[in-house]
Amino acid sequence: MELFDNLLIGLSTALELKNLGFCLIGVLIGTAIGVLPGIGPIPTIALLLPFTFGMEPAGAMIMLAGIFYGAQYGGSTTAILVNVPGETSSVVTCLDGHQMARQGRAGLALAIAALSSFFAGTVATIVIALLSVPLAALALKFTAVEYFSLLVLGLIAAVVLAHGSVARALSMVLLGLLLGLVGIDVSSGAARMTFGVPALSDGLDFVPVAMGMFGLAEIIANLERPAERHVVSQAVRGLIPSWADLKQAFPAMLRGTALGSALGVLPGGGAALPPFSSYALEKKLAKDPSRFGHGAIEGVAGPEAANNAGAQTSFIPLLTLGIPANALMALMIGALMMQGIQPGPQIMREQPQLVWGVIASMWVGNLMLLVINLPLIGLWVSMLRIPYRLLFPAIVLFCCIGTYGIANSLFNVWLMLGCAAVGYFFIKVGVEPAPLLLGLVLGPQLEEYFRRAMLLADGDFSVFLTRPISAGLLCVVALMFVALLSPMVVRGRKQALAE
């Protein structure tokens, strides 16, 4: 009964007229940035954070969540019609979706992608609703000791699932932790790494760092990429799949939804992991694997279901434990902090309308996406003609205005521009900055929980190994380190980086 009561609270919040408007705005922006290759939900949400400052918490989170899963829909459109993935998660969809378009089945591929995403989104919403209450109840039994170990696990998972060199990913985490310690120490009152700059006394503001390193840096990098794109077909027909097509695609939808729901919960998980894993599974289970890469409908249904399910279930660690599963969830934590809300297990008890409103809005948003996406395909494809060089000046202007408006601080504007230069440097040298963002967000919490644990244990470090849950989490961390150091994993990451 408690679950149904919570869902009713969520639906009443999500169906408020203003929240429906925010949800619609979110999914439309998400679809648009999913269609435009190279922008992505992380830079977009980073850029829009300042504009959520004056909004109500529920409306802000509903809109930002809509941008996230809306981008999964939009990314498939260009993957199928243009053979250019609008999102990392849509890379796999290019393989068979574009081949279907070249065979004159673009409408079918788009319809299957939309239906798979809607089905996966609906199931993932139910999974979030079912798991949120028991996980939050379990997390309420955690002490500072368990939370410290959990945060360490999240940071190490970010290193494991990051691309490229292990040393670089680990360095990014450590750099993020150091940046998170900048400012006045609340316990001793000592200034740490402020270098005599008064503006750094309160620490580095999360928003300008995220906007610069993820938003502006990505936009700058896009200016160097070729803008030539060739659409297979402007007139898309056959948007209603036949019963035989649905029967062939449905098992892949089911498997993709289950796989994506499980992988999305993993701390540090990336957007590409669920769809790639789903594609590999479908190819392995197929009676004729040679069809894949030549227009197999399962190669569209499975990955599209997996990426949408993974996108939504990544909210579970955020809503129940206050732990970001990936860089985008770290931005969501930043949005909550801007609203004066401290993420964690207590949020479900203290802010039920916010949490359940976001959960219920996911189903509403997926329904909106199903209704608006297919009829507006011509509009989304026409957006591909907009050159980045025309978008860039407007984006920079809005970024500067938004960053300055948060605290009326010119220092934040310079910080954002400096982080944009650093982020661009990271892109050029092939370093993934997502672990840095996780370290920046989790660093202050990690320090706080460590101090509390030491107070509880009178300075005895063995407390992390004597408490069962903490010991179990640290054992998982140790296993991850062993896996990272294995020659096969090191060789595989080097090959992936070379590609």
Side-chain angles (χ1 to χ4, degrees):
M1 288 301 294
E2 182 184 2
L3 175 62
F4 290 106
D5 292 339
N6 290 328
L7 286 175
L8 286 175
I9 293 173
L11 283 172
S12 65
T13 301
L15 294 178
E16 290 180 11
L17 187 59
K18 58 183 177 181
N19 289 334
L20 281 174
F22 287 134
C23 186
L24 179 60
I25 291 171
V27 297
L28 285 174
I29 293 175
T31 303
I33 60 101
V35 166
L36 292 172
I39 297 182
I42 294 180
T44 303
I45 290 177
L47 298 176
L48 289 177
L49 278 178
F51 300 97
T52 65
F53 187 69
M55 297 169 59
E56 293 183 0
M61 293 299 293
I62 285 172
M63 185 182 75
L64 295 178
I67 292 173
F68 184 26
Y69 55 79
Q72 315 306 315
Y73 274 76
S76 63
T77 300
T78 46
I80 291 169
L81 296 181
V82 194
N83 201 28
V84 176
E87 277 303 299
T88 306
S89 56
S90 301
V91 171
V92 184
T93 308
C94 291
L95 300 176
D96 285 281
H98 188 63
Q99 289 300 319
M100 291 179 69
R102 294 183 64 180
Q103 296 164 12
R105 297 189 294 160
L108 174 61
L110 290 166
I112 289 297
L115 290 171
S116 300
S117 296
F118 175 73
F119 175 79
T122 302
V123 174
T125 303
I126 297 172
V127 170
I128 294 172
L130 291 173
L131 293 182
S132 293
V133 173
L135 283 176
L138 174 65
L140 286 172
K141 299 177 182 178
F142 278 26
T143 66
V145 177
E146 285 78 17
Y147 268 115
F148 175 82
S149 300
L150 183 65
L151 289 173
V152 172
L153 174 62
L155 291 171
I156 298 303
V159 175
V160 172
L161 296 175
H163 301 295
S165 166
V166 174
R168 289 181 178 179
L170 191 58
S171 299
M172 286 293 100
V173 170
L174 294 176
L175 180 58
L177 291 173
L178 285 175
L179 293 177
L181 300 179
V182 172
I184 301 296
D185 182 8
V186 294
S187 298
S188 65
R192 300 186 299 189
M193 294 181 285
T194 59
F195 305 103
V197 180
L200 291 177
S201 299
D202 292 331
L204 290 174
D205 197 331
F206 170 82
V207 176
V209 174
M211 289 179 69
M213 200 163 291
F214 285 88
L216 284 181
E218 189 67 33
I219 301 299
I220 293 170
N222 286 334
L223 292 173
E224 301 178 346
R225 294 166 186 162
E228 293 289 329
R229 305 182 188 109
H230 303 284
V231 181
V232 168
S233 174
Q234 289 284 0
V236 178
R237 299 181 178 87
L239 290 173
I240 301 178
S242 66
W243 175 251
D245 294 326
L246 290 175
K247 188 176 180 181
Q248 187 178 5
F250 187 68
M253 287 187 202
L254 282 176
R255 290 188 289 266
T257 301
L259 189 61
S261 297
L263 294 176
V265 183
L266 291 176
L273 184 61
F276 272 97
S277 301
S278 174
Y279 191 83
L281 177 64
E282 293 305 319
K283 192 171 183 180
K284 186 174 183 180
L285 294 177
K287 294 181 179 178
D288 182 13
S290 63
R291 292 189 304 112
F292 285 78
H294 298 88
I297 196 170
E298 302 96 316
V300 175
E304 282 300 309
N307 80 46
N308 211 54
Q312 292 190 208
T313 56
S314 63
F315 279 85
I316 293 176
L318 171 68
L319 296 176
T320 58
L321 303 173
I323 304 297
N326 49 49
L328 197 141
M329 291 300 111
L331 290 173
M332 293 291 186
I333 284 185
L336 287 173
M337 289 179 172
M338 287 176 59
Q339 301 286 344
I341 298 172
Q342 182 63 41
Q346 72 282 354
I347 193 176
M348 297 197 74
R349 185 178 68 253
E350 297 174 358
Q351 302 279 347
Q353 289 185 327
L354 168 64
V355 173
W356 291 101
V358 171
I359 292 173
S361 75
M362 291 180 182
W363 185 81
V364 176
N366 275 282
L367 184 60
M368 287 181 178
L369 285 164
L370 183 64
V371 173
I372 67 177
N373 260 264
L374 296 180
L376 297 179
I377 282 173
L379 172 64
W380 304 129
V381 174
S382 66
M383 291 180 61
L384 292 168
R385 300 192 185 99
I386 303 175
Y388 282 115
R389 65 179 183 276
L390 299 182
L391 293 174
F392 183 70
I395 291 173
V396 174
L397 177 62
F398 282 118
C399 286
C400 292
I401 293 173
T403 304
Y404 180 81
I406 292 175
N408 293 329
S409 170
L410 189 60
F411 176 82
N412 279 348
V413 177
W414 289 112
L415 176 62
M416 177 192 69
L417 296 176
C419 288
V422 173
Y424 178 71
F425 171 75
F426 286 158
I427 291 173
K428 298 301 289 183
V429 298
V431 175
E432 189 175 357
L436 183 148
L437 187 64
L438 288 174
L440 176 64
V441 172
L442 298 183
Q445 296 182 48
L446 191 73
E447 180 187 23
E448 181 183 353
Y449 286 127
F450 178 76
R451 285 179 169 176
R452 289 183 185 180
M454 289 296 94
L455 288 173
L456 289 173
D458 293 327
D460 184 6
F461 288 95
S462 65
V463 69
F464 296 108
L465 299 175
T466 55
R467 297 182 69 94
I469 297 178
S470 175
L473 293 171
L474 292 179
C475 283
V476 175
V477 171
L479 290 174
M480 285 182 172
F481 262 120
V482 172
L484 282 173
L485 297 176
S486 67
M488 183 176 66
V489 172
V490 173
R491 186 166 55 251
R493 291 172 74 108
K494 285 182 178 179
Q495 290 174 354
L497 185 63
E499 294 172 2

mmCIF file of all heavy atoms in Angstrom, residues 134-143 147 320-321 345:
data_model
loop_
_atom_site.group_PDB
_atom_site.id
_atom_site.type_symbol
_atom_site.label_atom_id
_atom_site.label_comp_id
_atom_site.label_asym_id
_atom_site.label_seq_id
_atom_site.Cartn_x
_atom_site.Cartn_y
_atom_site.Cartn_z
ATOM 1 N N PRO A 134 12.753 0.045 -0.424
ATOM 2 C CA PRO A 134 13.614 -0.840 0.372
ATOM 3 C C PRO A 134 15.064 -0.402 0.438
ATOM 4 O O PRO A 134 15.716 -0.532 1.478
ATOM 5 C CB PRO A 134 13.478 -2.207 -0.330
ATOM 6 C CG PRO A 134 12.922 -1.919 -1.674
ATOM 7 C CD PRO A 134 12.103 -0.692 -1.530
ATOM 8 N N LEU A 135 15.593 0.147 -0.663
ATOM 9 C CA LEU A 135 16.988 0.603 -0.649
ATOM 10 C C LEU A 135 17.157 1.807 0.268
ATOM 11 O O LEU A 135 18.147 1.908 1.002
ATOM 12 C CB LEU A 135 17.445 0.956 -2.063
ATOM 13 C CG LEU A 135 17.782 -0.221 -2.978
ATOM 14 C CD1 LEU A 135 18.131 0.276 -4.368
ATOM 15 C CD2 LEU A 135 18.926 -1.043 -2.408
ATOM 16 N N ALA A 136 16.196 2.710 0.239
ATOM 17 C CA ALA A 136 16.278 3.868 1.128
ATOM 18 C C ALA A 136 16.167 3.440 2.591
ATOM 19 O O ALA A 136 16.846 3.977 3.470
ATOM 20 C CB ALA A 136 15.190 4.877 0.785
ATOM 21 N N ALA A 137 15.303 2.438 2.857
ATOM 22 C CA ALA A 137 15.167 1.936 4.231
ATOM 23 C C ALA A 137 16.464 1.285 4.695
ATOM 24 O O ALA A 137 16.890 1.450 5.849
ATOM 25 C CB ALA A 137 14.014 0.944 4.300
ATOM 26 N N LEU A 138 17.117 0.543 3.789
ATOM 27 C CA LEU A 138 18.405 -0.069 4.132
ATOM 28 C C LEU A 138 19.467 0.998 4.365
ATOM 29 O O LEU A 138 20.253 0.915 5.321
ATOM 30 C CB LEU A 138 18.842 -1.003 3.003
ATOM 31 C CG LEU A 138 20.243 -1.617 3.121
ATOM 32 C CD1 LEU A 138 20.315 -2.546 4.340
ATOM 33 C CD2 LEU A 138 20.611 -2.380 1.852
ATOM 34 N N ALA A 139 19.467 2.020 3.507
ATOM 35 C CA ALA A 139 20.481 3.061 3.626
ATOM 36 C C ALA A 139 20.343 3.872 4.908
ATOM 37 O O ALA A 139 21.334 4.409 5.420
ATOM 38 C CB ALA A 139 20.405 3.996 2.428
ATOM 39 N N LEU A 140 19.129 3.930 5.442
ATOM 40 C CA LEU A 140 18.934 4.665 6.692
ATOM 41 C C LEU A 140 19.643 3.991 7.860
ATOM 42 O O LEU A 140 19.881 4.607 8.904
ATOM 43 C CB LEU A 140 17.431 4.795 7.000
ATOM 44 C CG LEU A 140 16.663 5.804 6.136
ATOM 45 C CD1 LEU A 140 15.172 5.707 6.406
ATOM 46 C CD2 LEU A 140 17.167 7.218 6.405
ATOM 47 N N LYS A 141 20.000 2.717 7.696
ATOM 48 C CA LYS A 141 20.732 1.990 8.736
ATOM 49 C C LYS A 141 22.240 2.183 8.618
ATOM 50 O O LYS A 141 22.988 1.716 9.475
ATOM 51 C CB LYS A 141 20.397 0.491 8.653
ATOM 52 C CG LYS A 141 18.912 0.189 8.861
ATOM 53 C CD LYS A 141 18.618 -1.298 8.708
ATOM 54 C CE LYS A 141 17.125 -1.581 8.877
ATOM 55 N NZ LYS A 141 16.817 -3.022 8.694
ATOM 56 N N PHE A 142 22.673 2.857 7.561
ATOM 57 C CA PHE A 142 24.094 3.100 7.372
ATOM 58 C C PHE A 142 24.584 4.133 8.382
ATOM 59 O O PHE A 142 23.892 5.084 8.716
ATOM 60 C CB PHE A 142 24.368 3.633 5.960
ATOM 61 C CG PHE A 142 24.449 2.571 4.901
ATOM 62 C CD1 PHE A 142 23.797 1.361 5.043
ATOM 63 C CD2 PHE A 142 25.175 2.792 3.737
ATOM 64 C CE1 PHE A 142 23.856 0.402 4.070
ATOM 65 C CE2 PHE A 142 25.252 1.825 2.750
ATOM 66 C CZ PHE A 142 24.584 0.625 2.925
ATOM 67 N N THR A 143 25.804 3.922 8.839
ATOM 68 C CA THR A 143 26.483 4.942 9.644
ATOM 69 C C THR A 143 27.535 5.615 8.771
ATOM 70 O O THR A 143 27.682 5.295 7.592
ATOM 71 C CB THR A 143 27.152 4.311 10.870
ATOM 72 O OG1 THR A 143 28.209 3.438 10.432
ATOM 73 C CG2 THR A 143 26.153 3.521 11.704
ATOM 74 N N TYR A 147 28.951 4.712 4.851
ATOM 75 C CA TYR A 147 28.872 5.726 3.801
ATOM 76 C C TYR A 147 30.249 6.038 3.219
ATOM 77 O O TYR A 147 30.394 6.237 2.008
ATOM 78 C CB TYR A 147 28.238 7.013 4.337
ATOM 79 C CG TYR A 147 26.751 7.054 4.131
ATOM 80 C CD1 TYR A 147 25.881 7.049 5.207
ATOM 81 C CD2 TYR A 147 26.212 7.087 2.848
ATOM 82 C CE1 TYR A 147 24.522 7.075 5.014
ATOM 83 C CE2 TYR A 147 24.850 7.110 2.650
ATOM 84 C CZ TYR A 147 23.997 7.111 3.731
ATOM 85 O OH TYR A 147 22.646 7.125 3.541
ATOM 86 N N THR A 320 18.164 7.100 -3.664
ATOM 87 C CA THR A 320 18.133 6.296 -2.443
ATOM 88 C C THR A 320 19.348 6.502 -1.549
ATOM 89 O O THR A 320 19.230 6.471 -0.318
ATOM 90 C CB THR A 320 18.020 4.800 -2.789
ATOM 91 O OG1 THR A 320 19.129 4.416 -3.619
ATOM 92 C CG2 THR A 320 16.728 4.506 -3.531
ATOM 93 N N LEU A 321 20.517 6.690 -2.162
ATOM 94 C CA LEU A 321 21.760 6.784 -1.385
ATOM 95 C C LEU A 321 22.425 8.149 -1.478
ATOM 96 O O LEU A 321 23.346 8.439 -0.704
ATOM 97 C CB LEU A 321 22.754 5.709 -1.851
ATOM 98 C CG LEU A 321 22.274 4.263 -1.797
ATOM 99 C CD1 LEU A 321 23.294 3.346 -2.455
ATOM 100 C CD2 LEU A 321 22.021 3.830 -0.360
ATOM 101 N N PRO A 345 19.655 9.301 1.748
ATOM 102 C CA PRO A 345 18.476 8.489 2.047
ATOM 103 C C PRO A 345 17.335 9.285 2.666
ATOM 104 O O PRO A 345 16.168 8.957 2.491
ATOM 105 C CB PRO A 345 19.002 7.445 3.041
ATOM 106 C CG PRO A 345 20.470 7.475 2.909
ATOM 107 C CD PRO A 345 20.847 8.834 2.443
#
